[in-house]
Amino acid sequence: MDRNTFKSDEIERPIPFNTELLTSVLKNCIFEKNVIFKNVIGSTNVFLINLAQQGSPEGTVVIADEQSAGLGRLGRQWFSKEGENLLFSVLLRPGLLPNQIFVLTMIFALAGIEAVQQMTGLDAMIKWPNDIYIGEKKLGGILTEFAVQKGVVEHVVLGMGLNVNWNPSTEKKLLYPTSSIFAETHQKVSRERLLGKILKILEKFYREATEDMNPAERFYKKWNNKSAILGKSVVIETGKERVQGEAAGIGKDGALTLITADGHERRFVCGDVSVKMNCSEP
């Protein structure tokens, strides 16, 4: 267990986010110089996209204690308790081709689960396409947005919401099973040190990915090994159809391959996936 945890009865209210502590953890990291903190913001992704369009440098980080219009995938609202979780976005300018962008979602998720494991011992997994899970409960989510200019990616904004010191069991408005580091360990964690770990691991993975002619290659196996659905019977709902089959693999472009009951392969680039607990059900 990392020393940056403390018993739940040692505090009664959220501790204000300490940007100075974060930047000290990020010393000599590309994310050290341009840290922006907001008590309340509409969406860290939207805010940072606007900064990216104005020329903000790679490595800019936007953090919020609360989002009034937090976004998840497919435009869904991201609910988070004020001052208890991590809500942040980072700006990268990788010079990749659009079909290579999924590697950044991969390394962002891998950085998140590795940092959580280092600080808490929790073994989080990745639920396709962009969620972080503990068991069957959601711990966090990722939103990747990018802009292309002359066929090359001009900038990428990676956003993450991670449930840290919040107790989601006290909330009635949640639409799906949700957990947090606190709910799993009964210990509060330094959000600044956890975020610092995530960003330092992300920088390492980012350097490795952008130095490789095939950037997804070295992370592809690790991503699949941390998948929460591969080899299981799942159901995918795309909004147009509902398909059941075995999750056979996730491609380097992020597409999920499903083997249906009739033996056919189907590839899906988006959709809501759930593990089918009783395979005998129609």
Side-chain angles (χ1 to χ4, degrees), residues 45 88-90 92 104-105 108 143-144 156-160 202:
N45 258 38
F88 68 100
S89 299
V90 301
L92 300 176
L104 300 182
T105 300
F108 198 36
L143 182 61
T144 302
V156 180
V157 170
L158 299 169
M160 181 182 290
L202 174 61

Side-chain angles (χ1 to χ4, degrees), residues 76-95:
R76 294 168 178 158
Q77 183 180 8
W78 181 268
F79 178 78
S80 175
K81 195 77 171 181
E82 176 187 357
E84 296 184 347
N85 299 323
L86 281 177
L87 306 168
F88 68 100
S89 299
V90 301
L91 173 62
L92 300 176
R93 298 187 182 274

Side-chain angles (χ1 to χ4, degrees), residues 73 102 105 125-133 223-224 226-230 234-238 247 249-251 253-258 267-274:
R73 194 169 55 87
F102 187 69
T105 300
M125 302 292 282
I126 301 166
K127 184 183 176 192
W128 181 87
N130 61 350
D131 287 332
I132 298 174
Y133 265 62
W223 165 271
N224 277 271
K226 296 301 293 185
S227 171
I229 65 168
L230 290 193
V234 301
V235 174
I236 291 182
E237 298 189 36
T238 67
I250 301 167
D253 61 353
L256 174 65
T257 297
L258 209 67
R267 293 180 83 250
F268 298 86
V269 296
C270 64
D272 285 329
V273 64
S274 57

